[in-house]
């Protein structure tokens, strides 16, 4: 199989995949092809061709279809091979698939969630670096010999007995 034939097969598979996904989403929403085409602003025959894998829709058309189906445009872009999938995660998946919020709200939530995750990773890295630096300092201090009696810890210092003043009046 030549490279051109290989590429054509990949594009055809992507078109069929996105088409079948759109069809399954449309059926789950209990919407007819005609109704979805009208909501998305595309022709009925064109949508039918997309669903059967005969046409590969542009990003704009996918966005219109996503809005009409109330699904994430990102999901359709990934299915169509326009975007690479992001890191999987339960929170991310829940936000993307939630039908109670619109695309703008989903994007804002994802941005906030990503920001929190990045802050937490930075804090963990900073803490790990601080612990690593502290361990290095403690090891190097333990290796050094104390130079004066004051530098010695109480455990290392010899006991010094001092006479306590006698405040007892009977003595």
């Amino acid at each position: 199989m030549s490279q051109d034939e290989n590429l054509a097969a990949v594009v055809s598979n992507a078109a069929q995949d996105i088409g079948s996904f759109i069809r399954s989403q449309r059926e789950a929403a209990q919407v007819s092809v005609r109704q979805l085409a009208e909501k998305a602003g595309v022709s009925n025959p064109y949508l039918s061709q997309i669903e059967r894998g005969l046409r590969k829709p542009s990003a704009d058309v996918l966005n219109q279809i996503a809005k009409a189906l109330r699904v994430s445009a990102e999901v359709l872009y990934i299915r169509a091979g326009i975007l690479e999938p992001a890191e999987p995660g339960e929170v991310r998946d829940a936000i993307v698939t939630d039908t109670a919020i619109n695309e703008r709200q989903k994007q804002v939530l994802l941005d906030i969630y990503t920001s929190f995750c990045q802050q937490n990773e930075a804090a963990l890295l900073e803490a790990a670096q601080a612990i690593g630096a502290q361990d290095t300092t403690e090891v190097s201090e333990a290796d050094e010999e104390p130079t004066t009696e004051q530098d010695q810890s109480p455990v290392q210092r010899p006991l010094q007995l001092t006479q306590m003043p006698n405040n007892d009046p009977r003595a």
Side-chain angles (χ1 to χ4, degrees):
M1 189 183 282
S2 73
Q3 263 189 325
D4 290 340
E5 289 171 335
N6 241 356
L7 184 58
V10 168
V11 169
S12 176
N13 287 343
Q16 286 175 345
D17 184 43
I18 187 64
S20 62
F21 182 75
I22 290 171
R23 177 183 294 121
S24 69
Q25 293 297 307
R26 177 181 58 75
E27 290 171 349
Q30 298 177 341
V31 176
S32 70
V33 175
R34 181 172 281 127
Q35 290 170 324
L36 180 58
E38 186 178 313
K39 285 181 181 179
V42 298
S43 72
N44 186 20
Y46 181 58
L47 181 57
S48 177
Q49 290 173 349
I50 291 171
E51 285 190 354
R52 290 181 287 144
L54 302 175
R55 298 268 189 168
K56 187 169 187 214
S58 68
D60 289 338
V61 170
L62 286 173
N63 190 34
Q64 291 169 248
I65 292 171
K67 284 180 183 177
L69 288 172
R70 294 183 51 95
V71 298
S72 169
E74 182 181 12
V75 170
L76 293 184
Y77 293 156
I78 291 168
R79 289 284 188 152
I82 295 172
L83 278 181
E84 291 294 318
E87 297 174 21
E90 289 180 28
V91 173
R92 181 175 180 67
D93 293 344
I95 292 170
V96 168
T97 58
D98 194 329
T99 57
I101 56 177
N102 65 36
E103 291 304 310
R104 175 76 178 119
Q105 293 166 333
K106 289 177 185 182
Q107 191 56 54
V108 169
L109 282 174
L110 287 171
D111 290 345
I112 291 169
Y113 178 71
T114 301
S115 172
F116 285 156
C117 290
Q118 289 171 345
Q119 286 177 350
N120 290 345
E121 287 175 15
L124 285 173
L125 181 61
E126 189 175 305
Q129 289 172 340
I131 289 170
Q134 185 180 13
D135 288 346
T136 305
T137 305
E138 287 176 3
V139 168
S140 64
E141 285 177 358
D143 291 343
E144 293 177 8
E145 288 291 322
T147 55
T148 67
E149 193 175 298
Q150 289 176 340
D151 290 341
Q152 294 177 345
S153 73
V155 175
Q156 294 172 329
R157 225 179 296 156
L159 282 175
Q160 297 175 351
L161 297 175
T162 57
Q163 192 169 5
M164 299 293 284
N166 192 352
N167 293 337
D168 191 2
R170 290 180 282 175

